[in-house]
Amino acid sequence: MYRCLEIARQGQPYALPNPMVGAVIVQNEKIIGEGFHRAYGEAHAEVNAIDKVVNKSLLKDSTLYVNLEPCAHYGKTPPCANLIVSHKIGRVVIGQVDPNPLVSGKGIKILQQGGCEVTTGVLQQESRMLNRRFNTFQEKRRPFIILKWAQTMDGYIDIIRNSNSPAQPTWITGEAARLLVHKWRTREMAIMVGTETALKDNPRLNVREWVGNHPVRITLDLNKRLPKSLHLFDQSVPTIVFTYHDVPSLHNLTYIKIDKEKTVLSQVTKILFNMNITSLFVEGGQQLLNSFIGHNLWDEARVFTGEKYFIEGIAAPATGTNPESIVSLKSGKLSLYANNSAI
């Protein structure tokens, strides 16, 4: 099962919005086939593992290990549970049951009815951790939400700006942190900032310092304050703008009207769920970050602390939790927080 988890990671981020899955086939304590889900719409891990087995007659005396319950429904590909049964694989060991209502328990039932011996819950915690985005999406009916910000040694995320301040970021960390953030962007389906960050920083929110896909850009422009000259409106990357007004959409620029009488973030997360966006990377300012924290709509927080002091400025948010781990960087540190109450 550890090997399943190891090879499953190779599917990140190309499997999105599907989970990362690895499969290993063992016969007489020897691996005779293994595979992982390489990309959304392509063959699942079990299919790739079975294809790697040269002598298919060995399958009936083999054990298939997989970190997620084999699928039981027709989606982009046929059900893997049926394929396993058709090859008469005698035993299947599963890391975690699939939380997707279309599958949950149904794949196991097909296997058992087909004569397979099924064992579940092997390295279940590790399996759930690997696919925390997928699990949160299915169980909470919203994207997995990661908050990210940089703060100074004295706890500020920005200087105090006025109307004459240039529309550009106030850098707190260095090149290593910037590279890491761009790498993170390639692993998430969407990235979000609020109105004030869009105005003050004029961010591109794309991937420039790493190789990978651009996340869908998301911003709030509830009262039509943002000028069309901002980078977010350049139509180079699919972008979603939430607003209280009727605004026509353009190529790569989708305006979505929300109800001003309802909570903004609850509407946003529900709409993103319906759009099959499984993860959201929030790089907003104080107001947006505190809103996510205040509504308990976050799963991870990644906080850079740079070796700078502002003396005064915009105060950094507080998660109310202790960091799970701290990583040293050349120009400071990175603290990683997990919101266990949201799991």
Side-chain angles (χ1 to χ4, degrees):
M1 191 61 71
Y2 278 120
R3 178 60 179 165
C4 287
L5 296 171
E6 181 182 24
I7 62 177
R9 290 186 180 91
Q10 297 179 53
Q12 189 182 45
Y14 308 106
L16 289 172
N18 284 351
M20 291 174 278
V21 183
V24 175
I25 301 173
V26 176
Q27 199 262 348
N28 286 338
E29 299 185 0
K30 179 182 178 182
I31 294 176
I32 61 173
E34 64 180 28
F36 65 96
H37 183 37
R38 294 180 176 275
Y40 178 68
E42 294 186 8
H44 287 186
E46 300 93 325
V47 176
N48 289 329
I50 290 171
D51 285 346
K52 289 289 180 65
V53 178
V54 177
N55 184 357
K56 297 295 192 287
S57 67
L58 298 176
L59 289 171
K60 68 181 187 303
D61 297 317
S62 300
T63 298
L64 185 147
Y65 294 83
V66 61
N67 59 288
L68 185 69
E69 176 184 0
C71 62
H73 67 292
Y74 284 88
K76 294 283 185 180
T77 59
C80 291
N82 291 348
L83 177 69
I84 294 167
V85 169
S86 71
H87 283 283
K88 296 182 171 55
I89 296 175
R91 182 168 179 252
V92 179
V93 179
I94 297 169
Q96 73 156 102
V97 175
D98 194 325
N100 185 344
L102 293 173
V103 179
S104 188
K106 297 180 179 68
I108 293 172
K109 185 176 181 179
I110 290 172
L111 294 174
Q112 291 173 331
Q113 290 177 340
C116 291
E117 176 190 342
V118 179
T119 302
T120 60
V122 176
L123 295 187
Q124 178 173 278
Q125 184 175 350
E126 292 86 348
S127 296
R128 286 188 58 82
M129 182 63 180
L130 176 70
N131 281 313
R132 55 197 182 277
R133 293 165 180 79
F134 178 74
N135 291 323
T136 297
F137 183 78
Q138 296 294 340
E139 294 166 358
K140 298 292 184 180
R141 317 299 283 176
R142 64 162 174 81
F144 184 86
I145 299 170
I146 302 169
L147 309 181
K148 169 263 167 182
W149 70 87
Q151 63 186 39
T152 61
M153 297 290 286
D154 50 352
Y156 296 108
I157 63 172
D158 200 0
I159 58 174
I160 296 174
R161 307 198 208 185
N162 57 42
S163 58
N164 295 322
S165 299
Q168 62 186 28
T170 302
W171 291 106
I172 296 173
T173 56
E175 182 65 21
R178 185 160 57 249
L179 285 171
L180 184 55
V181 169
H182 279 250
K183 179 180 179 180
W184 286 342
R185 288 179 180 181
T186 68
R187 295 183 173 183
E188 311 307 332
M189 292 195 70
I191 184 170
M192 182 178 185
V193 294
T195 307
E196 291 301 320
T197 298
L199 279 171
K200 293 178 179 178
D201 292 357
N202 192 17
R204 297 181 185 274
L205 297 188
N206 57 11
V207 178
R208 303 182 302 281
E209 308 291 340
W210 203 261
V211 176
N213 295 326
H214 301 294
V216 175
R217 302 185 299 196
I218 298 172
T219 193
L220 301 175
D221 190 15
L222 302 179
N223 297 304
K224 297 198 296 185
R225 294 173 53 207
L226 298 181
K228 296 301 182 289
S229 58
L230 295 178
H231 294 313
L232 288 175
F233 300 118
D234 63 13
Q235 299 176 252
S236 63
V237 176
T239 302
I240 298 170
V241 182
F242 289 96
T243 180
Y244 290 146
H245 303 273
D246 291 307
V247 181
S249 296
L250 302 169
H251 171 70
N252 269 351
L253 187 56
T254 302
Y255 287 87
I256 298 178
K257 184 179 180 181
I258 58 175
D259 188 343
K260 65 173 59 179
E261 302 301 322
K262 297 180 181 179
T263 305
V264 171
L265 293 186
S266 63
Q267 294 182 79
V268 168
T269 54
K270 182 178 181 180
I271 291 168
L272 296 183
F273 173 82
N274 291 332
M275 297 176 71
N276 210 27
I277 292 177
T278 58
S279 64
L280 177 63
F281 195 55
V282 181
E283 291 196 41
Q286 183 197 57
Q287 184 175 344
L288 183 63
L289 291 166
N290 278 335
S291 186
F292 273 102
I293 293 170
H295 288 90
N296 201 33
L297 284 172
W298 68 281
D299 300 286
E300 289 182 7
R302 303 174 183 179
V303 182
F304 293 97
T305 302
E307 295 178 346
K308 288 186 178 182
Y309 292 87
F310 284 173
I311 310 302
E312 62 177 359
I314 307 299
T319 64
T321 61
N322 294 320
E324 296 274 317
S325 62
I326 298 176
V327 180
S328 295
L329 299 171
K330 285 184 177 180
S331 57
K333 67 180 182 179
L334 167 62
S335 301
L336 303 174
Y337 299 81
N339 184 11
N340 294 321
S341 67
I343 296 176

